[in-house]
Amino acid sequence: MMLKPYRLGALLLALSALPAVPSASAVAAPAVPAAAPEGHTADQIGRFLVRFYGEHGPSDHDRRHHVSQVLQERQQTTTESDVLLCAQNEPRDIAVGPVTVAQAAGVGWATVTTHWASDKTDTFTAYVRLDSRPIRIDDVICAG
């Protein structure tokens, strides 16, 4: 390996810091539209969560077909509460908040609010993997 004199190394470092100047052919090239993001959109996840949770909680069918294996196993070992609702009973009503999607993380989530008798409410966060097929709940984190 041959060592370069300091001046040459400094010059190369300075040149690498300069902004690139596009050539005339690069400027004239037509713009290529960005590829559509893969996976579920915030709107699709929101519609899924509203349907999944309904007014009182997920159906038996949804619990079998639209829940990750990890959550199904967690429910089998957690007998004192429903891991999908973070509760012991059936709520009076359920509302799903706005969905946030993090493409880089490959996940979307929303806060779900359960309404109970005597105007008590609880919240939890439901997560959906963007690449899940069919779309399904991947995780639920209870608020407290």
Side-chain angles (χ1 to χ4, degrees):
M1 178 168 115
M2 184 174 175
L3 296 176
K4 294 182 175 86
Y6 174 75
R7 286 174 293 190
L8 180 58
L11 177 63
L12 291 174
L13 184 61
L15 287 175
S16 68
L18 292 175
V21 179
S23 66
S25 62
V27 172
V32 177
E38 297 209 14
H40 310 297
T41 65
D43 183 56
Q44 290 169 328
I45 293 170
R47 285 185 280 125
F48 165 72
L49 289 173
V50 167
R51 186 198 57 74
F52 179 85
Y53 279 106
E55 291 181 18
H56 305 290
S59 68
D60 289 338
H61 176 269
D62 283 335
R63 288 176 183 275
R64 282 191 311 277
H65 300 288
H66 296 286
V67 175
S68 70
Q69 186 64 38
V70 171
L71 276 177
Q72 289 179 13
E73 290 169 5
R74 189 184 306 161
Q75 184 62 69
Q76 289 175 351
T77 62
T78 307
T79 56
E80 67 274 2
S81 69
D82 185 338
V83 299
L84 295 174
L85 293 170
C86 297
Q88 294 177 338
N89 301 316
E90 182 179 290
R92 188 178 56 177
D93 192 27
I94 300 176
V96 176
V99 174
T100 301
V101 171
Q103 289 288 339
V107 69
W109 65 89
T111 299
V112 179
T113 303
T114 52
H115 300 271
W116 304 91
S118 73
D119 295 328
K120 182 178 181 257
T121 61
D122 286 319
T123 61
F124 58 88
T125 305
Y127 294 87
V128 174
R129 285 185 41 169
L130 300 182
D131 62 353
S132 61
R133 298 286 185 248
I135 190 169
R136 65 179 168 262
I137 301 286
D138 194 55
D139 199 3
V140 172
I141 305 297
C142 302

